[in-house]
Amino acid sequence: MEAYYYNRLTRPQQSVYRDILCGIQNLESEIQTLRLSAEELHDIFFRLRLDHPEIFWASGYHFLYYPDSPNLLFQPDYLFDKNRIREHQRAMASRIEKLTRPAANLSDWEKE
């Protein structure tokens, strides 16, 4: 699926988006990324969650930075502990596979 909102960001914003997405997918507690304004960071996180509803368990964030540093530490807030998130991910993947299995051998036309 195309990341609609990602494609509407500037290059530096896209870099931060990718860093945050990778970190959240790996369930990291801190993600180092390029320092942007608080407003830009909020906008990126909002767009990220619109593009990737499967990371619903990343509910918010905090961030830290040093005034003279070009980077910041993004700290995602998770709704569940990491083991429970992994269980949700496995259950979601299993459910998706079960739902798509009947259409696996169909042509694109038949899938539509």
Side-chain angles (χ1 to χ4, degrees):
M1 184 168 105
E2 179 184 342
Y4 176 84
Y5 294 101
Y6 170 83
N7 291 323
R8 277 126 188 95
L9 297 172
T10 64
R11 294 277 184 223
Q13 291 171 336
Q14 288 178 344
S15 174
V16 171
Y17 179 110
R18 286 189 308 270
D19 291 342
I20 293 172
L21 177 61
C22 182
I24 287 174
Q25 288 173 332
N26 292 323
L27 301 176
E28 295 175 11
S29 55
E30 288 188 339
I31 304 158
Q32 183 173 329
T33 190
L34 180 66
R35 183 174 164 188
L36 298 176
S37 71
E39 295 80 20
E40 285 179 293
L41 202 55
H42 173 76
D43 188 50
I44 291 167
F45 186 70
F46 182 75
R47 290 173 186 234
L48 172 70
R49 292 190 66 213
L50 290 173
D51 280 342
H52 297 277
E54 71 275 10
I55 60 167
F56 65 91
W57 33 262
S59 60
Y61 66 91
H62 298 86
F63 64 94
L64 305 168
Y65 65 90
Y66 292 102
D68 57 342
S69 175
N71 298 319
L72 62 82
L73 286 177
F74 183 91
Q75 300 170 326
D77 297 328
Y78 299 121
L79 288 174
F80 312 107
D81 65 54
K82 293 179 182 184
N83 290 329
R84 184 128 185 243
I85 291 170
R86 286 184 188 100
E87 287 175 24
H88 283 293
Q89 289 172 320
R90 283 191 296 272
M92 197 169 9
S94 174
R95 182 71 175 150
I96 289 169
E97 194 277 325
K98 182 179 177 182
L99 290 170
T100 58
R101 190 178 314 134
N105 295 325
L106 300 177
S107 70
D108 288 341
W109 177 258
E110 290 171 320
K111 288 177 185 176
E112 286 291 324

